Amino acid sequence: SIHFNAMLTKIGIDGQKIWLVEPQTFMNFSGQSVSSIAKFYKIKVEEILVVHDELDLPAGSVKLKEGGSSNGHNGLKSVTDSLGSNNYWRLRLGIGHPRMLNIQQKVVDFVLQNPSKDEKFLIEKSIKNCLRTIHFLCQGKFEEAIKHLYNTR
């Protein structure tokens, strides 16, 4: 949608209307799209789930949490600034950090390159695991989603 500067679609899952949003801005400005859509459709901050890469988790790890700092992630900082709150949910998908992997590479270059074959396998496996929690997330059962994510690694 040009109006929101995002690719946007509405789907139904478990009787819930879910908006899937992919901002089409630079990551550092992704909060503009999220905030505009939330305001227009009257979506509460605590009903928002942001899925993002996470350098501080090993490739294939997943963490679901509500609130917290942006931890240096410029996309999260933009979302927090635009919403005026950090009380949204985050699904953190681990991609590893170059220093964890003993790679002498700048972070910006690391996050823009394709993962290794082994890392890609782990990341794809974690995404499939996350997809199995969608019904919990759509029903607002975040604690059950967390239990499922951590018990099926």
Side-chain angles (χ1 to χ4, degrees), residues 12 33 40 46 55 81 86 105-106 109 130 140 147 149-150:
S33 297
F40 186 82
E46 53 277 356
L55 285 164
D81 290 348
N86 67 353
Q105 186 176 36
K106 291 181 181 177
D109 296 329
C130 291
K147 288 177 190 173
L149 283 171
Y150 298 157

Side-chain angles (χ1 to χ4, degrees), residues 55 57-60 94-105 110-111 113-116 118-119 122-123:
L55 285 164
L57 293 175
I95 61 169
H97 194 287
R99 76 173 171 260
M100 280 183 196
L101 303 168
N102 293 320
I103 298 173
Q104 299 301 314
Q105 186 176 36
F110 178 78
V111 298
Q113 76 178 17
N114 290 326
S116 72
D118 291 342
E119 290 164 341
L122 292 171
I123 292 166

